[in-house]
């Protein structure tokens, strides 16, 4: 079977666009935001001057510092993940504005929105895992820490997601005295997101060659 070739750069662009759309759909469904972005979402609800996208790249800047401490090394290429986070944040806020007028009151609409959002998030993350260009700090953290400590990336992703879910629940009670932005959808996503990403990766690798088209890979080693 002939594969689509030299897809690395397109995987980066499509990954960001698809991931941001998935998060925006889950936010619109209001059944529980993805656990990975839930802390940033709660911060945006608490601090009115921050949009969801702005809270995302602010929190990812903090996580990037944590990554440097965990790996005990500094790589300039890692800093491009913050650039990616800013681009993603702008795209996310744009999708949220586009979906603003979409009516999602009925559960019969919210459930499909949630399911589509979760699938798109998994697909977007899988695409970002397959590009040499710096992914968001969330994905970079999972990718680099699992590689350093020789942990299966999909299993580590599940553990990371579950930890993010617990942190989000704690933040929700601390900020609002109850659950906000965190729901049954968050728990479901935490349990199955890593599995779906693994299946998406198998599907993509069957049809796509993720080798680079541009001579930029050496700058991201």
């Amino acid at each position: 079977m002939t594969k689509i070739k030299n897809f690395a750069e397109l995987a980066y662009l499509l990954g960001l666009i698809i991931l941001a759309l998935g998060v925006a759909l889950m936010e619109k469904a209001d059944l529980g935001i993805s656990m990975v972005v839930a802390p940033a979402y709660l911060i945006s609800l608490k601090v009115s001057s921050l949009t969801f996208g702005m809270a995302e790249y602010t929190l990812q800047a903090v996580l990037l510092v944590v990554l440097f401490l965990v790996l005990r090394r500094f790589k300039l290429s890692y800093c491009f993940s913050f650039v990616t986070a800013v681009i993603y944040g702008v795209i996310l806020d744009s999708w949220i504005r586009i979906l603003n007028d979409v009516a999602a009151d009925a559960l019969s609409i919210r459930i499909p929105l949630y399911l589509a959002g979760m699938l798109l998030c998994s697909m977007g993350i899988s695409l970002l895992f397959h590009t040499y260009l710096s992914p968001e700090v969330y994905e970079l953290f999972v990718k680099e820490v699992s590689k350093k400590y020789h942990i299966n990336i999909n299993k580590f992703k599940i553990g990371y997601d579950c930890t993010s879910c617990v942190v989000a629940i704690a933040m929700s009670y601390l900020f609002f005295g109850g659950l906000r932005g965190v729901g049954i959808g968050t728990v479901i996503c935490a349990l199955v997101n890593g599995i779906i990403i693994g299946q998406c990766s198998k599907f993509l690798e069957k049809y796509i060659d993720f080798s680079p088209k541009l001579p930029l890979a050496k700058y991201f080693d």
Side-chain angles (χ1 to χ4, degrees), residues 56-115:
E56 275 278 71
Y57 56 74
T58 300
L59 190 60
Q60 289 189 55
V62 175
L63 185 60
L64 185 60
V65 174
V66 174
L67 177 63
F68 289 144
L69 295 175
V70 171
L71 297 182
R72 297 180 182 178
R73 70 172 183 266
F74 174 85
K75 289 181 69 174
L76 183 60
S77 63
Y78 290 170
C79 295
F80 284 102
S81 283
F82 179 70
V83 176
T84 297
V86 174
I87 296 171
Y88 161 78
V90 172
I91 296 173
L92 173 60
D93 285 340
S94 298
W95 278 125
I96 289 175
R97 285 194 294 271
I98 291 170
L99 295 171
N100 185 56
D101 293 330
V102 175
D105 297 327
L107 198 60
S108 59
I109 297 175
R110 293 165 61 198
I111 291 176
L113 284 177
Y114 168 81
L115 293 174

Side-chain angles (χ1 to χ4, degrees), residues 111-129:
I111 291 176
L113 284 177
Y114 168 81
L115 293 174
M118 184 170 63
L119 179 60
L120 287 172
C121 284
S122 298
M123 182 65 75
I125 292 170
S126 181
L127 284 166
L128 291 171
F129 276 161

Side-chain angles (χ1 to χ4, degrees), residues 193-204:
N193 198 40
I195 298 171
I196 299 174
I197 290 171
Q199 293 303 310
C200 286
S201 293
K202 290 180 181 178
F203 175 80
L204 292 172

